Amino acid sequence: MKFEAPVAVTEIAAFIGAELVGNSQLMATGLNEIHKVTPGDISFVDFEKYYNASLQSAATIIIINKKVECPEGKALLVLEDPFSAYVKLVNRFRPFEPASKAVSDSAVIGEGTIVQPNVFIGNHVRIGRNCLIHPNVTIYDHAVIGDNVIIHAGTVLGADAFYFKKRADREVIYDKLVSCGRVIIEDDVEIGAGCTIDKGVSGDTIIGRGTKLDNMIHIGHGTVIGKNCLIAAQVGIAGKAHIEDNVILWGQVGVNKDLTIGKGAVVLAQSGVPSSLEGGKVYFGYPAEVASEKRRELGWVKRIPEIWDKVKSL
Amino acid sequence: MKFEAPVAVTEIAAFIGAELVGNSQLMATGLNEIHKVTPGDISFVDFEKYYNASLQSAATIIIINKKVECPEGKALLVLEDPFSAYVKLVNRFRPFEPASKAVSDSAVIGEGTIVQPNVFIGNHVRIGRNCLIHPNVTIYDHAVIGDNVIIHAGTVLGADAFYFKKRADREVIYDKLVSCGRVIIEDDVEIGAGCTIDKGVSGDTIIGRGTKLDNMIHIGHGTVIGKNCLIAAQVGIAGKAHIEDNVILWGQVGVNKDLTIGKGAVVLAQSGVPSSLEGGKVYFGYPAEVASEKRRELGWVKRIPEIWDKVKSL
Amino acid sequence: MKFEAPVAVTEIAAFIGAELVGNSQLMATGLNEIHKVTPGDISFVDFEKYYNASLQSAATIIIINKKVECPEGKALLVLEDPFSAYVKLVNRFRPFEPASKAVSDSAVIGEGTIVQPNVFIGNHVRIGRNCLIHPNVTIYDHAVIGDNVIIHAGTVLGADAFYFKKRADREVIYDKLVSCGRVIIEDDVEIGAGCTIDKGVSGDTIIGRGTKLDNMIHIGHGTVIGKNCLIAAQVGIAGKAHIEDNVILWGQVGVNKDLTIGKGAVVLAQSGVPSSLEGGKVYFGYPAEVASEKRRELGWVKRIPEIWDKVKSL
């Protein structure tokens, strides 16, 4: 997430109550989790084992819970609880704005787009031309939708990322990472009824051009889906997955977070994908394997009684 | 889908720009995909291997991409892209009509039926007597609902079929078959919260009398479900399946398209049904097999280490 | 479910047309299915094999279809169809009240709570302080929501229990047990988009303090979920399950009814839980077993061809 205008690192330090180490002349241009940082960004780290990754990332300003050596040209903001400081910044720079009406005045809706009754369109949403938004759809603030997009009834775009920090010492142990990313739906996408596509934690959840989603599909935060994919009903894809172009996922497939499904891969119905899959192949089962091999395995299972008979006869 | 009044085949030919071969006196009475055609219908075919099936079907008028011999008494409409011509006809004879209000003036709602707030009821919808439609339900145009039907909150009836033609030569490769079928809910059906039941491509998706659906169930386009079925939460049934009377599907079951589940069959939770199942039996697993056999198979899998020990000892 | 004020057992008997046997001075204080009865309650039994359980339960008044000996201090209400009599009482003491507006005047909403557009809040709903209810949420009558609760768009709280009595001799064979329980969401809970949490048949469905639900989760009637649980997208939990504190269920897990998942158990993605699981362990597969053992089993399956080769070589 990028700020509307750069903010002095000194102002950030004062706001979150941090000790500023390093370059105090810096201007922060955005706020991002470590997976999404670009130069100018503020990020945070609170586990020693991730210090190096964070300090060496593209982030210019790092909120950190120990006074370590500051890399050349960067700034550290040192305080006890970087996670809470980051959340405080999200709430300041992308505060939740309660709606005053069902279709926000700050939403921009293109020519030829039809919005059916009972639709909610949040603040700062942008929708392109010749779209059709069916009834009871909810589009949270800041979503961006291209041209010729169809969204069927009851679908929800931009609900919060499901992302919590565990605080074993508290009564309520899951502490929410407030998300400030967006949902981006490119041109010519169709989304079925009753789908949920979450916003990214700090970056964007993207559905690529020409991709078609059936009903009741869940897409987690920050997941990026390529162009011309076909996703059947009740598929679930966790956060920060990368589904490349021309992938086909059949019904009720489950896809883990933080993995890549390569271009043109096909995953058959009800399969579970725990880790990355190479493109261009057909997969099946849990864990998903090349379908022809998995079918052979199922055949072997059926032969166990025969093997046992043979063993007994020896 | 049947037209409100018959249309001359010559008018159809002119509208889609086709060469008319055969009986030019015919009147078209409807428009249907090949799986649903009845006499009087226009259908289309664009793959040579399906020519015979299409020409010999009940369809009276066939849109086709090659000038072949016309069966006696029928008419061919010859042009390069039958799929696009068919879509053009759907858009002409069942055009999408944007809603001007949440409950259409053209909807007919029976005596004693309660419609809760935030419900959308589209054009030409018919709802019987003594129904209860809970909040945030969406009923697309042309749906037909019987008497004593209960529909829980957030459910969507009549979203578009998930049906595309692949156009490998285009930038957006999936070309949508615009659907003109309906959803029909018979008397005494109860549908849980957050379900999605798609309209047929050209025919009807039907939920038979007395069938009860739990929450978050997906029913694909043109699927026909019999009477007195019991379907548990999160079941997904693909398009054009036929579920006969008294079938029970437990939670999270997935059912493939174009198959039949016979009368009284029971499919246990999380099973996957890739092909037709005989009635009167209990099934389990993926692929779903008779439950007692599948359980025996799971038992054999647990014995593999024992078999291995035995083999090593020989 | 408890009545607003006690009702004389003689009045109950007259209303349902039952013969009163035993203590005719009793006052009924509530109405409950057998799993939930407390002293003062009316319950019902219509199968001889459950007579003893029902007569010896905490229920003070039992609707029964045979004149048996009445336990000391209790009352029997004898008639032919106890199920229908019970439903008649539910409809009398907790009648469905059609909404006159989207947010009922009888709902109580705490200070600092934000209700976004297109939300439905039913009669007698109570919502605490500092909650955020996103658009197109439906909250059925009588639900109780604590403080600091976030409910994302399209979620449905309090739809009816999926619970039917089979009447083989009728045309419509599934006869509905009208539910009169509630949904209770404790403080600091977050519920994702497109979830459905059903009300209890007569008791409460409870989501414990600090528990976080992702999107499209189904929770059946009367299920009780403990504190600080984490439930990922598309999980389905059937009715009357008990999920203890600190349980983690990953995506697309299915959980059967009438079981307990012990404190701190973790169930990996797509697993199916047919029966109770001990706390503190990690589970996987269908049926869910201790993950390390299940992984070993998957390894053995892959070794079947090797075993076969060995057998052949003997």
Side-chain angles (χ1 to χ4, degrees), chain C:
Chain C
M1 171 232 181
K2 290 292 169 187
F3 299 146
E4 283 172 40
V7 183
V9 67
T10 48
E11 187 186 330
I12 301 284
F15 179 67
I16 62 176
E19 180 185 355
L20 174 55
V21 176
N23 186 345
S24 64
Q25 303 304 309
L26 291 170
M27 301 296 283
T29 57
L31 191 62
N32 264 316
E33 57 185 318
I34 185 69
H35 318 271
K36 295 280 178 180
V37 284
T38 55
D41 281 347
I42 303 168
S43 194
F44 78 97
V45 64
D46 51 5
F47 280 107
E48 199 133 355
K49 65 173 170 175
Y50 299 131
Y51 280 2
N52 266 342
S54 190
L55 293 167
Q56 287 160 20
S57 75
T60 301
I61 300 158
I62 298 114
I63 311 174
I64 190 166
N65 53 347
K66 192 178 172 186
K67 199 164 165 177
V68 298
E69 205 183 333
C70 181
E72 179 70 25
K74 298 198 174 189
L76 305 183
L77 299 173
V78 186
L79 43 57
E80 202 186 320
D81 187 349
F83 181 93
S84 295
Y86 176 89
V87 167
K88 202 174 168 190
L89 288 173
V90 171
N91 285 328
R92 170 161 172 186
F93 290 102
R94 187 150 289 178
F96 177 72
E97 304 173 47
S100 53
K101 51 203 294 197
V103 177
S104 169
D105 289 333
S106 63
V108 178
I109 298 176
E111 206 178 281
T113 286
I114 297 168
V115 176
Q116 291 280 80
N118 300 354
V119 167
F120 174 83
I121 299 179
N123 303 300
H124 317 297
V125 167
R126 298 203 310 268
I127 302 180
R129 288 174 298 182
N130 302 317
C131 296
L132 172 51
I133 317 292
H134 283 282
N136 288 311
V137 163
T138 299
I139 304 176
Y140 281 60
D141 297 4
H142 297 287
V144 179
I145 296 172
D147 297 336
N148 314 314
V149 169
I150 300 173
I151 303 177
H152 282 281
T155 280
V156 176
L157 303 186
D160 293 350
F162 190 68
Y163 196 123
F164 301 91
K165 180 180 177 70
K166 197 170 174 178
R167 306 275 198 179
D169 57 331
R170 297 188 185 174
E171 230 181 309
V172 172
I173 68 177
Y174 293 110
D175 190 14
K176 176 173 179 165
L177 187 59
V178 178
S179 34
C180 58
R182 302 178 298 177
V183 166
I184 296 183
I185 310 294
E186 296 184 355
D187 296 348
D188 304 298
V189 165
E190 178 157 358
I191 301 175
C195 292
T196 64
I197 302 179
D198 284 352
K199 62 162 69 93
V201 164
S202 68
D204 298 324
T205 306
I206 301 172
I207 311 294
R209 184 171 180 206
T211 284
K212 311 293 183 182
L213 273 63
D214 200 350
N215 298 340
M216 279 194 219
I217 290 163
H218 165 71
I219 311 279
H221 58 86
T223 284
V224 175
I225 296 181
K227 298 185 199 312
N228 292 313
C229 293
L230 208 56
I231 304 185
Q234 296 181 323
V235 165
I237 304 179
K240 284 176 291 159
H242 185 199
I243 314 296
E244 295 185 349
D245 296 350
N246 302 102
V247 165
I248 298 177
L249 306 178
W250 290 116
Q252 297 186 332
V253 161
V255 177
N256 204 356
K257 59 181 180 171
D258 298 323
L259 56 69
T260 297
I261 298 185
K263 185 171 177 175
V266 176
V267 183
L268 299 180
Q270 287 197 325
S271 298
V273 183
S275 49
S276 292
L277 297 178
E278 227 175 285
K281 294 178 180 169
V282 179
Y283 298 91
F284 162 54
Y286 185 88
E289 295 171 33
V290 170
S292 56
E293 289 168 24
K294 196 77 184 180
R295 284 211 189 85
R296 212 160 17 232
E297 186 178 303
L298 291 180
W300 277 110
V301 167
K302 296 226 171 290
R303 290 186 60 192
I304 303 175
E306 174 197 345
I307 298 176
W308 180 237
D309 282 348
K310 179 89 177 169
V311 169
K312 278 191 306 183
S313 75
L314 288 172

Side-chain angles (χ1 to χ4, degrees), chain A residues 116 118 134-136 152-153 190 209 213-216 228 231 233-234 252 270 284 301-302 304-305 308 311, chain B residues 99 118 136 138 140 160 162 171 173 176 194 196 198 217-218 235-236 253-254 271-272 286 289 297 300 303 310:
Chain A
Q116 292 279 82
N118 300 354
H134 283 283
N136 288 312
H152 283 282
E190 179 159 357
R209 185 173 179 205
L213 273 63
D214 200 350
N215 298 340
M216 277 194 221
N228 291 312
I231 304 185
Q234 296 181 322
Q252 297 185 331
Q270 288 197 323
F284 164 55
V301 166
K302 298 227 170 289
I304 303 175
W308 179 238
V311 168
Chain B
N118 300 354
N136 288 312
T138 299
Y140 280 62
D160 292 351
F162 190 70
E171 228 182 312
I173 68 175
K176 175 173 181 164
T196 65
D198 283 353
I217 290 162
H218 165 71
V235 165
V253 161
S271 299
Y286 185 88
E289 295 172 31
E297 187 178 303
W300 278 111
R303 290 187 60 192
K310 179 87 178 171

Side-chain angles (χ1 to χ4, degrees), chain A residues 17-313:
Chain A
E19 179 185 357
L20 174 55
V21 176
N23 186 345
S24 65
Q25 303 304 310
L26 290 171
M27 301 295 284
T29 58
L31 190 63
N32 266 315
E33 56 186 318
I34 185 71
H35 318 272
K36 297 279 179 181
V37 284
T38 56
D41 283 347
I42 303 168
S43 194
F44 78 96
V45 63
D46 50 6
F47 280 107
E48 199 133 356
K49 63 174 171 175
Y50 299 132
Y51 279 2
N52 265 342
S54 189
L55 294 168
Q56 287 159 22
S57 75
T60 301
I61 300 156
I62 298 114
I63 311 174
I64 189 166
N65 52 349
K66 193 178 172 187
K67 198 165 170 178
V68 296
E69 204 184 333
C70 182
E72 178 70 25
K74 299 196 175 190
L76 304 183
L77 300 172
V78 185
L79 43 58
E80 201 185 321
D81 187 349
F83 182 92
S84 295
Y86 177 88
V87 167
K88 201 173 170 191
L89 288 172
V90 171
N91 286 328
R92 169 160 174 189
F93 290 102
R94 187 150 289 178
F96 178 72
E97 304 173 47
S100 52
K101 50 205 293 198
V103 178
S104 168
D105 288 334
S106 64
V108 178
I109 298 176
E111 205 179 281
T113 286
I114 296 168
V115 176
Q116 292 279 82
N118 300 354
V119 167
F120 173 83
I121 298 179
N123 302 301
H124 317 296
V125 166
R126 297 203 312 267
I127 303 179
R129 288 175 298 180
N130 303 317
C131 295
L132 172 51
I133 316 292
H134 283 283
N136 288 312
V137 163
T138 299
I139 305 176
Y140 281 61
D141 297 4
H142 296 286
V144 178
I145 296 171
D147 298 335
N148 314 312
V149 170
I150 300 173
I151 302 177
H152 283 282
T155 280
V156 176
L157 304 186
D160 292 351
F162 190 69
Y163 198 122
F164 301 91
K165 180 181 178 69
K166 196 169 175 179
R167 305 275 197 180
D169 56 332
R170 296 188 186 175
E171 227 181 313
V172 172
I173 68 176
Y174 293 110
D175 190 13
K176 176 173 180 163
L177 186 59
V178 177
S179 34
C180 59
R182 301 179 299 176
V183 166
I184 296 183
I185 310 293
E186 295 184 355
D187 297 348
D188 304 299
V189 166
E190 179 159 357
I191 301 174
C195 292
T196 64
I197 303 179
D198 283 353
K199 61 163 69 93
V201 164
S202 68
D204 298 324
T205 306
I206 301 172
I207 312 293
R209 185 173 179 205
T211 284
K212 311 293 183 182
L213 273 63
D214 200 350
N215 298 340
M216 277 194 221
I217 290 162
H218 165 72
I219 311 279
H221 59 88
T223 283
V224 174
I225 296 181
K227 298 185 199 310
N228 291 312
C229 293
L230 208 56
I231 304 185
Q234 296 181 322
V235 165
I237 304 178
K240 285 177 288 157
H242 184 201
I243 314 296
E244 294 185 349
D245 297 350
N246 302 102
V247 165
I248 298 177
L249 305 178
W250 289 117
Q252 297 185 331
V253 161
V255 177
N256 204 356
K257 61 181 180 173
D258 298 322
L259 56 70
T260 298
I261 298 185
K263 186 172 175 172
V266 175
V267 184
L268 301 180
Q270 288 197 323
S271 299
V273 182
S275 51
S276 292
L277 297 177
E278 227 176 283
K281 294 179 179 168
V282 179
Y283 298 90
F284 164 55
Y286 185 87
E289 295 171 32
V290 170
S292 56
E293 288 168 23
K294 196 77 186 182
R295 285 210 189 85
R296 211 159 20 232
E297 187 179 302
L298 292 180
W300 277 111
V301 166
K302 298 227 170 289
R303 289 187 61 192
I304 303 175
E306 174 197 344
I307 298 175
W308 179 238
D309 283 347
K310 179 87 177 171
V311 168
K312 278 191 306 184
S313 75

